[in-house]
Amino acid sequence: MDSCLMIWSMRPQMRAYRFVGHKDAVMCVHFSPSGHLVASGSRDKTVRLWVPSVKGESTVFKAHTGTVRSVHFSSDGQSLVTASDDKTVKVWTVHRQKFLFSLSQHINWVRCARFSPDGRLIVSASDDKTVKLWDKTSRECIHSFCEHGGFVNHVDFHPSGTCIAAAGTDNTVKVWDVRMNRLLQHYQVHSAVVNSLSFHPSGNYLITASNDSTLKILDLLEGRLLYTLHGHQGPATCVAFSRTGDLFASGGSDEQVMVWKTNFDAADYGDVLKTQKSGTSSVIPEDGTHQTLQSEMDCGIHLKKTKTQDSGRNHEQQEEETSLANTLEHIMGQLDVLTQTVSILEQRLTLTEDKLKECLENQQKIIQNKTS
């Protein structure tokens, strides 16, 4: 709400970066897959792309005619999808922020939009009480999910891309299969509005954040509530797992960001979660008996438990593949920074040209006044 971004380093004794640029509250942030760019959307109706370095340089573009509620990079880092109070979802190229197309069938504010893991689909959640699934190529709405009884605050794809989960002001979380377009699971575990959710990378767990001040972890395989986490004083507004799933972070109206450590793995979640933030936080395992929970689990949902890699694989081959993957990731990261630097320079050049034109016009006016 203070119009700033904070980039926190997870390394000890490393200072955080505070980025200033937006003219109003920052509603959403998202790292590019390479980690070399950060997108932010604001109430000032703009989207900014930042290089997360000490300089804090950014390019800015007027993305919508209303508050920008959501920004999300595609898995290849080449596209960006944004959602806004102007009732539209828009898709942009990351390089030079070129507008590609708009999706505009929602009839109220759009709170959230996400790419599918393979980049072929887009899902959006709106105050019109619907979740819409879009085909990126044809730009058509494939299906509208209308089961929510209130505004839909947040939506995301399962890591497999076969289903989606959404959180709403009706205090529920719902999971749908996007291949058969049917409701799989319905959770009513919160006593207030659910603001945010995030899938664990294994696909076996879902974490939610609510106005009831709690975070809750759901076991998707068994279709039950696993843990309730108490830490925030007031509404928990957002939550997200890290890419590896060993950490998750939550934010709240209490102006706190908490980083938590997940001590369960895909095979055994018996250990209690612990918070890395000092202060009073507790985790309460749930037996599910005091919660309303309905579940219809589909074996085709592909909620796969992660396994160790095939033991028959050659160790040297693994090392070569890891080295190659790291090299490619580094190259992609450097390309991200390079294209962003070019964009920044182009914006500066445009500003310089505008100033030069203005000076020339002023000089011409002075000359004309003198001659007259």
Side-chain angles (χ1 to χ4, degrees):
M1 289 299 145
D2 61 7
S3 308
C4 298
L5 270 75
M6 296 294 293
I7 306 288
W8 303 89
S9 175
M10 304 303 288
R11 278 173 265 165
Q13 278 77 52
M14 285 290 287
R15 294 180 65 183
Y17 300 140
R18 183 171 180 266
F19 292 168
V20 180
H22 283 295
K23 303 293 189 290
D24 207 335
V26 181
M27 310 306 290
C28 49
V29 290
H30 191 230
F31 268 101
S32 66
S34 70
H36 292 276
L37 290 177
V38 177
S40 62
S42 170
R43 202 179 274 162
D44 66 12
K45 306 172 187 176
T46 70
V47 169
R48 283 181 179 265
L49 288 177
W50 310 78
V51 177
S53 64
V54 71
K55 289 182 180 179
E57 292 183 314
S58 68
T59 54
V60 60
F61 59 101
K62 178 77 181 294
H64 290 271
T65 57
T67 296
V68 183
R69 298 267 173 192
S70 173
V71 290
H72 187 248
F73 285 97
S74 58
S75 57
D76 62 6
Q78 300 302 304
S79 302
L80 189 74
V81 63
T82 59
S84 168
D85 286 1
D86 64 11
K87 306 175 189 175
T88 68
V89 173
K90 293 185 179 181
V91 178
W92 315 77
T93 63
V94 172
H95 179 55
R96 300 195 179 185
Q97 298 85 60
K98 181 186 172 186
F99 172 72
L100 293 178
F101 59 88
S102 184
L103 306 171
S104 49
Q105 287 188 29
H106 282 293
I107 56 173
N108 207 334
W109 294 358
V110 188
R111 296 271 177 179
C112 185
R114 295 285 185 267
F115 282 109
S116 61
D118 62 10
R120 293 188 298 175
L121 300 173
I122 294 169
V123 68
S124 57
S126 169
D127 280 6
D128 63 12
K129 302 181 183 179
T130 70
V131 171
K132 291 187 185 294
L133 191 67
W134 311 82
D135 184 286
K136 183 174 178 282
T137 306
S138 67
R139 305 174 189 180
E140 291 179 355
C141 181
I142 301 169
H143 192 78
S144 291
F145 301 93
C146 307
E147 285 90 345
H148 271 287
F151 301 159
V152 192
N153 288 328
H154 195 97
V155 68
D156 204 357
F157 275 94
H158 183 270
S160 68
T162 60
C163 45
I164 55 172
T169 59
D170 59 0
N171 306 355
T172 70
V173 173
K174 300 182 192 299
V175 181
W176 292 275
D177 188 313
V178 298
R179 298 160 302 175
M180 294 178 286
N181 295 329
R182 71 185 187 97
L183 185 67
L184 292 177
Q185 294 178 325
H186 164 88
Y187 297 91
Q188 192 156 358
V189 292
H190 286 286
S191 59
V193 170
V194 189
N195 295 309
S196 180
L197 54 78
S198 178
F199 282 102
H200 187 267
S202 69
N204 298 335
Y205 309 101
L206 186 71
I207 190 165
T208 58
S210 167
N211 277 3
D212 65 13
S213 81
T214 68
L215 308 175
K216 290 182 186 280
I217 295 179
L218 306 170
D219 184 325
L220 297 174
L221 291 173
E222 297 189 10
R224 69 183 182 95
L225 178 62
L226 198 59
Y227 292 113
T228 295
L229 291 78
H230 298 270
H232 289 284
Q233 305 299 312
T237 54
C238 52
V239 67
F241 276 109
S242 63
R243 293 247 158 93
T244 56
D246 56 342
L247 300 170
F248 59 93
S250 61
S253 296
D254 56 4
E255 303 173 10
Q256 298 293 311
V257 172
M258 294 185 178
V259 177
W260 309 71
K261 185 176 176 61
T262 42
N263 284 336
F264 62 78
D265 58 32
D268 180 17
Y269 50 72
D271 293 332
V272 175
L273 291 110
K274 297 171 186 173
T275 177
Q276 285 186 304
K277 182 185 179 296
S278 60
T280 58
S281 299
S282 60
V283 181
I284 303 173
E286 299 282 352
D287 58 11
T289 55
H290 303 295
Q291 305 292 345
T292 306
L293 187 144
Q294 301 165 1
S295 172
E296 184 191 348
M297 198 64 205
D298 175 21
C299 61
I301 200 170
H302 295 316
L303 299 173
K304 298 184 288 244
K305 293 194 174 186
T306 54
K307 300 288 182 184
T308 54
Q309 293 205 345
D310 186 7
S311 56
R313 248 183 156 189
N314 186 294
H315 181 66
E316 287 181 10
Q317 186 183 347
Q318 276 189 355
E319 284 187 347
E320 283 177 14
E321 287 178 0
T322 303
S323 175
L324 182 61
N326 289 338
T327 305
L328 286 170
E329 189 177 343
H330 177 73
I331 291 167
M332 288 299 293
Q334 292 303 309
L335 282 170
D336 278 348
V337 174
L338 187 61
T339 55
Q340 183 64 3
T341 305
V342 169
S343 296
I344 291 167
L345 290 171
E346 284 174 345
Q347 279 202 351
R348 286 181 179 173
L349 188 61
T350 304
L351 287 170
T352 307
E353 286 174 351
D354 290 344
K355 285 179 182 177
L356 283 169
K357 285 177 184 176
E358 192 179 333
C359 287
L360 284 170
E361 285 170 3
N362 290 336
Q363 288 291 333
Q364 286 173 349
K365 285 177 183 177
I366 293 165
I367 293 166
Q368 284 173 1
N369 289 334
K370 284 182 179 179
T371 53
S372 60

